[in-house]
């Protein structure tokens, strides 16, 4: 919506009953109610979104990150209604939506995929017996994966022959209930991988470029928590090879718009295509910051039929510095359980090269119905140590009261020796951060702030008093302590 405002384009929000006062509704020029809080009765109902377009006269839809953003039926419904879907073709989404189809398509284009077996018919194994025979050929450990999967659902690690049959049945049941498709295929399990994804962009004139990688290895239960660009372990030479592999994968489906190719990077330096996300992703700001670009603006350019604003060489020349994103979740920092409720106090960090993409404000009610992410805090620096120092400072500035957040987790993670050294993989949180969520509870943090203020006051009472005098910037607790 900010990008649209800058370009002189009017915006329309859609909202459910609990989102009447959500930031996106307040920001839009107009808003249309689409039903009750459960997404299945509002944000996921294709006909309601199309009807909102008709009512408001919207000529394009930006599908965001979740909900219908990778739904090919929605893209087709938009086309049928004469509304531009800001994204790739329904056909590209369909091919990449099936993991077995994607593996087949991109490996034919020369993109390396994890060694594995899609099954006798190319779309999963009919039974555990045939899967076992394939697993013996590939070599243990193997992963059973759902053909319609993603996000780890319907995925099982199998380390020995005897485990395969029960794991196969479990994976099939889970995949069937989650995706309505029980097709299961096999991959060799890559040990301690890093999750490296490549941002790609295509236009309707056959141009395709990449915008480097993001390292998203800091995850918990397949939910990303910290992302950075570039990756601490990707050299310019590896970036060029992974970029070329991602472009080849995108070209194989005539990709148009913003997309991301996910790769596993093994400890031995080998990389393997996992899947392609056919949308702009949550973590795109880290890419925007190191390239100095607005990727939503690029999406609008492409949707309007314009060529990509920059070719590969000038893009490569723009890269500068380092960016880190911390996803701030409304959740208990130790147990990682959602913590909905009202935000009674909010102080958002600020200062040079800090960006806070937020979905909330002081007084806002965090609903139970949706993803508990309340903001994305992003910091840029000339190099990684400076980006890290800036993020640590910003995290210390961030105050949220009324709900629990994972801020203590982030404060501890960003100070962890291995993270600071760039030495981490997808198992980092489970191994290094499992014991406790963060550095302190919010009560302990309050106590520390008060102790520090008392200490500062004891050492230099005159300066503290002078600073507090008539200053609107001095916060309440400091004034109270005078
Ligand atoms: C893998 C893997 C190791 N080997 N595939 C997890 C979600 C889905 N997108 C793919 N996932 C994985 N696939 C092979 N052949 C390890 C994971 C994985 C993972 C990947 C990226 C980020 C975090 C992860 C956490 C656990 C497992």
């Amino acid at each position: 919506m900010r990008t649209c405002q800058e370009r002189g384009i009017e915006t329309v929000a859609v909202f459910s009953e609990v989102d009447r006062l959500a930031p996106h509704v307040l920001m839009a020029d107009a808003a249309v109610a689409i039903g009750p809080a459960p997404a299945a009765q509002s944000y996921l109902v294709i006909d309601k979104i199309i009807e909102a377009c008709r009512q408001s006269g919207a000529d394009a839809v930006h599908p965001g990150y979740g909900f219908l953003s990778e739904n090919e039926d929605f893209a087709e419904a938009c086309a049928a209604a004469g509304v531009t879907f800001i994204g790739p073709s329904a056909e590209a989404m369909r091919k990449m939506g099936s993991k077995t189809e994607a593996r087949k398509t991109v490996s034919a284009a020369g993109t390396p995929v994890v060694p594995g077996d899609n099954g006798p018919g190319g779309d999963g194994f009919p039974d555990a017996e045939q899967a076992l025979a394939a697993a013996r050929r590939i070599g243990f450990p193997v992963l059973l994966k759902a053909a319609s999967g993603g996000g780890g659902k319907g995925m099982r690690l199998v380390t020995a022959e005897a485990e395969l049959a029960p794991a196969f049945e479990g994976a099939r049941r889970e995949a069937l209930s989650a995706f309505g498709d029980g097709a299961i295929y096999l991959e060799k399990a890559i040990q301690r991988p890093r999750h490296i994804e490549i941002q790609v962009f295509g236009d309707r004139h056959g141009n395709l470029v990449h915008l480097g990688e993001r390292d998203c290895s800091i995850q918990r239960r397949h939910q990303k928590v910290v992302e950075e660009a570039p990756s601490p372990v990707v050299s310019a030479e590896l970036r060029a090879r992974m970029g070329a592999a991602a472009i080849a994968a995108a070209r194989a489906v005539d990709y148009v718009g913003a997309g991301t190719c996910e790769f596993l990077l093994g400890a031995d330096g080998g990389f393997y295509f996992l899947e392609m996300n056919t949308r702009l992703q949550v973590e795109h700001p880290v890419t925007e910051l190191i390239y100095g670009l607005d990727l939503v603006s690029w999406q609008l350019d492409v949707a309007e039929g314009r060529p990509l604003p920059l070719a590969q060489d000038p893009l490569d020349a723009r890269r500068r510095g380092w960016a880190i994103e911390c996803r701030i979740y409304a959740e208990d920092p130790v147990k990682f359980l959602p913590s909905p409720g009202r935000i009674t106090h909010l102080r958002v960090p600020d200062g040079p090269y800090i960006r806070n993409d937020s979905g909330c404000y002081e007084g806002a009610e965090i609903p139970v119905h949706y993803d508990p992410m309340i903001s994305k805090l992003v910091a840029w620096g000339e190099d990684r140590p400076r980006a890290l120092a800036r993020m640590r400072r910003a995290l210390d500035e961030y105050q949220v009261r009324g709900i629990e957040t994972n801020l203590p987790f982030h404060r501890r993670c960003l100070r962890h020796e291995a993270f600071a050294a760039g030495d981490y993989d997808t198992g980092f949180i489970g191994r290094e951060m499992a014991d406790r969520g963060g550095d302190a509870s919010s009560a302990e943090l309050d106590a520390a702030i008060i102790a520090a203020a008392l200490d500062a006051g004891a050492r230099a009472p005159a300066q503290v008093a002078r600073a507090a005098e008539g200053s609107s910037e001095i916060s309440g607790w400091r004034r109270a302590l005078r």
Side-chain angles (χ1 to χ4, degrees):
M1 284 177 190
R2 292 186 173 113
T3 302
C4 285
Q5 283 170 8
E6 292 169 19
R7 292 169 69 117
I9 299 169
E10 286 188 307
T11 57
V12 182
V14 290
F15 64 97
S16 73
E17 275 163 19
V18 288
D19 274 350
R20 200 164 285 279
L21 295 175
H24 76 283
V25 178
L26 304 181
M27 193 177 275
D29 296 297
V32 180
I34 53 166
Q41 297 171 49
S42 50
Y43 296 113
L44 288 171
V45 183
I46 292 173
D47 290 346
K48 291 192 176 186
I49 311 295
I50 299 293
E51 177 55 22
C53 291
R54 200 197 54 74
Q55 254 182 52
S56 60
D59 58 4
V61 174
H62 192 298
Y65 318 121
F67 296 137
L68 298 170
S69 62
E70 296 188 272
N71 186 307
E72 65 223 51
D73 295 335
F74 179 57
E76 275 171 357
C78 287
V83 172
T84 300
F85 175 81
I86 301 174
S89 68
E91 180 63 6
M93 279 193 266
R94 191 189 58 74
K95 281 192 177 137
M96 290 301 185
S98 159
K99 307 306 153 194
T100 43
E101 181 84 24
R103 278 168 58 83
K104 196 164 37 183
T105 306
V106 311
S107 70
T111 302
V113 299
V114 189
D117 195 327
N118 286 353
D123 194 24
F125 287 91
D127 55 55
E129 214 167 288
Q130 293 188 50
L132 179 59
R136 286 195 183 112
R137 283 192 297 275
I138 294 164
F140 290 91
V142 296
L143 275 170
L144 303 177
K145 293 190 175 187
S148 299
K153 271 225 181 75
M155 193 168 89
R156 291 284 192 288
L157 178 67
V158 181
T159 54
E161 292 194 6
E163 299 165 12
L164 194 132
F168 185 86
E169 296 312 326
R172 183 145 74 179
R173 229 178 306 113
E174 193 172 311
L176 200 59
S177 81
F179 314 112
D181 171 17
I184 300 295
Y185 69 102
L186 273 181
E187 279 182 8
K188 174 126 192 108
I190 308 296
Q191 315 269 10
R192 288 203 173 199
R194 292 181 81 118
H195 171 129
I196 307 287
E197 56 185 36
I198 304 281
Q199 176 73 56
V200 298
F201 236 104
D203 64 22
R204 292 189 198 148
H205 308 277
N207 300 304
L208 265 166
V209 295
H210 75 82
L211 291 91
E213 80 284 3
R214 294 183 284 262
D215 196 321
C216 308
S217 303
I218 305 291
Q219 306 199 359
R220 197 184 161 278
R221 301 210 178 137
H222 306 298
Q223 182 162 299
K224 291 170 185 167
V225 184
V226 180
E227 304 101 339
E228 61 179 311
S231 164
V233 297
V234 173
S235 65
E237 181 269 337
L238 179 57
R239 178 172 307 119
R241 282 194 290 131
M242 293 184 79
I247 288 175
R251 198 175 294 290
V253 295
D254 297 319
Y255 200 82
V256 169
T260 301
C261 290
E262 286 187 13
F263 292 93
L264 290 180
L265 179 64
D268 60 356
F271 66 87
Y272 311 94
F273 174 93
L274 265 191
E275 53 193 74
M276 182 172 190
N277 298 311
T278 57
R279 62 174 192 280
L280 187 69
Q281 287 185 266
V282 167
E283 61 272 24
H284 74 274
V286 293
T287 302
E288 293 187 324
L289 290 191
I290 65 166
Y291 283 88
L293 293 171
D294 175 351
L295 293 184
V296 173
S297 193
W298 276 45
Q299 289 188 294
L300 299 183
D301 282 331
V302 168
E304 287 173 350
R306 292 180 221 279
L308 293 177
L310 290 167
Q312 194 64 58
D313 285 348
L315 256 179
D316 292 347
R318 289 179 71 93
R319 293 173 57 87
R320 208 174 138 245
W322 215 282
I324 304 173
E325 172 177 281
C326 290
R327 297 192 186 195
I328 313 301
Y329 289 108
E331 67 182 16
D332 180 302
V334 178
K335 299 188 198 104
F336 295 97
L337 293 171
S339 174
R342 184 175 299 279
I343 296 178
T344 54
H345 166 79
L346 182 66
R347 185 192 172 203
V348 166
D350 209 332
Y353 303 104
I354 292 295
R355 166 173 169 180
N356 186 58
D357 284 11
S358 168
C360 66
Y361 48 84
E362 190 167 295
E365 188 80 34
I366 306 303
V368 293
H369 306 88
Y370 314 116
D371 185 285
M373 185 168 68
I374 58 171
S375 91
K376 307 181 286 181
L377 182 61
V378 198
W380 182 89
E382 295 83 344
D383 52 30
R384 191 168 187 269
R386 278 179 263 212
L388 276 173
R390 191 165 272 146
M391 180 60 93
R392 291 189 197 112
R393 186 270 294 169
L395 288 166
D396 288 346
E397 233 174 89
Y398 214 141
Q399 297 175 3
V400 186
R401 296 289 177 269
I403 57 168
E404 291 293 326
T405 72
N406 66 346
L407 277 165
F409 169 89
H410 284 300
R411 293 185 185 114
R412 193 158 83 92
C413 182
L414 273 276
R415 285 176 176 87
H416 192 289
E417 199 180 335
F419 182 81
D423 178 18
Y424 60 84
D425 58 72
T426 53
F428 179 84
I429 292 183
R431 279 196 317 274
E432 307 287 337
M433 307 285 289
D435 50 338
R436 55 200 179 113
D439 47 10
S441 71
S442 53
E444 282 173 304
L445 225 59
D446 286 342
I449 288 167
I450 290 167
L454 288 170
D455 184 49
R459 275 190 280 110
Q463 284 104 302
V464 171
R466 254 201 309 281
E469 206 63 60
S471 168
S472 61
E473 303 231 5
I474 203 121
S475 57
W477 56 266
R478 232 184 246 259
R479 212 179 294 128
L481 286 164
R482 264 207 294 151

